[in-house]
Amino acid sequence: MNILVTGATGFVGHHIVRHLAKQMAADASDGEVVAVTRRTPEPNLAIKGVRWIRISDLGPDTDWRSALDGVDAIVHCAGVAQVSAHPTEDELQVLHSVNVAGTRQLATAAVEHGVERLVFLSSLKVHGETTTGRAPFSTDDVPAPQDAYGRSKLAAEASLMEVADRGDLSVVVLRPPLVYGEGVQGNFRALLRAVQLGVPLPFGRVRNNRRSLIYVGNLVGAIWAALTMPRPSEAPIRCTTTVSDADDLSTAALLEALAQASHQLPLLVPVPQRAMRWAAQALDRTAVADRLLGSLQVNPNDMQRLLGFQPIFSASEGIWRTVRCGLTTR
């Protein structure tokens, strides 16, 4: 099986490429991974069983013909993820061009080239921003994205399914929460750095919230399950599911796990949550406070029911691997 991976040099894409190449080698497969990057691949990216292709841009006019020759399946994880809280018209245009029109163009090319399956990495943001006071999000819930990024992912899903229905393309959509693992950046890395530096953190009382996360090793396992799940003989696959570690953590429990993996004592100060929310509002950081103090969970049964997949790594093992495999304060 020849598999094309978009966004191959990103945090998630890099792990996907390495995992697929390793899986094919273990299976003694004669297939290859076609890794797509916007820049000329650097020599240190050379991986046995991986062929790199440079695609300068992702959008409604991208020419996929050379990249898709002989490809059986696609893992599409490229896209614009960093969007300001109040995006400008130009930002919204780029978001639509890449995430929505770019996905449609790739799906159209896949149908034209007879690609059998496309796995799309969407986002839990399709469902919303919080499950505080309600049941965990389930795949069967009506989507309710709250920001421009979430709306772009939902529109991309709809566009992808519409194009796939024109041909025989199977589609599996995965909606992950925050992804962490070796090489992670952003808020997860910032929390880890604070723990490793011994910074006192005001989350000692934040023990009743629950956040679903997914270790990148579990995510690539779910992607492999999506690529290899049997297809019904009568029709192509149409599957959409949330994915997670299935071990939801409070903010305090997450910080304690990071500290334990770093062989440090967590410095968690028991600040009342009401005081933290007041401070966040004064500093215009309400959204950050919502993420740290509120809940955002998914139903862990969906991926088992729809993909036949159970997490390979527990959350504690995923956190340990993230910390111990080179992610330090530098």
Side-chain angles (χ1 to χ4, degrees):
M1 179 165 56
N2 296 324
I3 305 172
L4 180 138
V5 180
T6 69
T9 55
F11 162 55
V12 174
H14 177 71
H15 282 278
I16 293 171
V17 167
R18 287 187 173 277
H19 176 84
L20 292 178
K22 183 177 179 180
Q23 187 70 48
M24 288 183 179
D27 294 346
S29 170
D30 59 357
E32 67 173 357
V33 179
V34 181
V36 176
T37 176
R38 290 184 302 165
R39 297 178 293 274
T40 302
E42 299 177 5
N44 63 346
L45 291 177
I47 304 170
K48 185 177 180 181
V50 176
R51 175 166 59 93
W52 291 88
I53 288 184
R54 182 175 178 269
I55 297 290
S56 59
D57 205 1
L58 178 64
D61 301 317
T62 304
D63 186 350
W64 290 101
R65 284 175 297 182
S66 61
L68 288 177
D69 283 344
V71 166
D72 303 297
I74 298 170
V75 180
H76 182 36
C77 57
V80 174
Q82 300 299 322
V83 186
S84 60
H86 304 288
T88 65
E89 200 61 40
D90 286 344
E91 288 178 304
L92 291 174
Q93 187 173 9
V94 170
L95 195 63
H96 183 273
S97 177
V98 176
N99 289 5
V100 183
T103 298
R104 173 183 284 274
Q105 176 71 355
L106 176 59
T108 300
V111 170
E112 292 173 350
H113 282 74
V115 175
E116 297 173 9
R117 188 169 303 188
L118 193 154
V119 178
F120 177 52
L121 203 62
S122 186
S123 170
L124 186 58
K125 280 180 169 285
V126 163
H127 287 283
E129 299 293 331
T130 181
T131 55
T132 300
R134 57 151 291 161
F137 287 134
S138 173
T139 303
D140 296 331
D141 291 338
V142 176
Q146 300 298 304
D147 65 5
Y149 174 72
R151 288 189 287 272
S152 77
K153 282 295 190 178
L154 181 59
E157 290 182 17
S159 183
L160 174 57
M161 292 296 187
E162 178 190 337
V163 172
D165 284 341
R166 301 175 189 168
D168 201 37
L169 178 66
S170 289
V171 174
V172 182
V173 175
L174 304 181
R175 295 172 176 168
L178 186 148
V179 184
Y180 67 96
E182 300 88 326
V184 68
Q185 300 293 324
N187 293 333
F188 195 97
R189 180 181 175 89
L191 286 176
L192 176 56
R193 292 186 67 185
V195 168
Q196 292 181 329
L197 290 169
V199 176
L201 298 169
F203 303 111
R205 292 189 180 182
V206 189
R207 298 187 179 277
N208 293 326
N209 72 327
R210 291 292 182 271
R211 307 289 295 190
S212 293
L213 308 172
I214 187 164
Y215 173 57
V216 70
N218 285 332
L219 180 57
V220 296
I223 289 170
W224 183 251
L227 287 167
T228 57
M229 64 188 296
R231 169 182 162 153
S233 58
E234 66 278 5
I237 296 170
R238 296 289 185 271
C239 176
T240 300
T241 182
T242 56
V243 290
S244 74
D245 285 339
D247 290 331
D248 298 342
L249 301 173
S250 68
T251 299
L254 171 60
L255 293 169
E256 288 167 346
L258 291 173
Q260 182 178 12
S262 302
H263 300 299
Q264 294 190 214
L265 292 174
L267 297 177
L268 300 183
V269 182
V271 176
Q273 293 190 35
R274 181 176 296 180
M276 285 192 283
R277 288 196 179 276
W278 283 342
Q281 188 173 5
L283 297 170
D284 195 24
R285 293 292 185 270
T286 303
V288 176
D290 289 342
R291 286 193 292 271
L292 291 170
L293 305 180
S295 294
L296 182 61
Q297 296 177 271
V298 304
N299 185 339
N301 297 323
D302 285 356
M303 58 186 175
Q304 170 63 35
R305 175 173 59 91
L306 296 168
L307 282 185
F309 174 75
Q310 291 182 324
I312 303 163
F313 304 94
S314 66
S316 59
E317 186 174 2
I319 289 169
W320 186 88
R321 285 171 172 264
T322 300
V323 175
R324 306 311 302 170
C325 290
L327 184 54
T328 66
T329 57
R330 61 177 181 272

